[in-house]
Amino acid sequence: MTVLLAATSDGIARITESGDAWSVEAVLDEGRGQCIALDPGDPRRVFAGSHGRGVWRSGDGGASFEDAGLPADDV
């Protein structure tokens, strides 16, 4: 299975390949997606920046996100 994460104007999308089919799911719709960073030591740990909504983190490969709690809202 292949999983891609994409920053979009609506947030962060998770794109999953299963066999010959692809599915797209909005996993973070907290403003415009700006950037995505993957922990090279643990690919399940993902960080996403959202314009005006701060930094979000995931421990499950981007299936779900939670606010990282940083003091600034702009990334």
Side-chain angles (χ1 to χ4, degrees):
M1 176 170 64
T2 300
V3 176
L4 305 171
L5 295 172
T8 73
S9 62
D10 295 325
I12 304 297
R14 187 169 193 254
I15 306 159
T16 307
E17 176 192 33
S18 183
D20 291 337
W22 290 86
S23 63
V24 178
E25 171 188 14
V27 291
L28 180 61
D29 57 2
E30 296 293 332
R32 293 179 301 184
Q34 295 291 303
C35 54
I36 300 170
L38 178 70
D39 181 342
D42 182 358
R44 295 169 302 187
R45 191 167 171 96
V46 178
F47 297 89
S50 180
H51 179 71
R53 302 293 290 201
V55 174
W56 296 74
R57 66 178 165 223
S58 172
D60 57 10
S64 63
F65 283 87
E66 65 182 9
D67 190 333
L70 298 179
D73 288 336
D74 284 330
V75 176

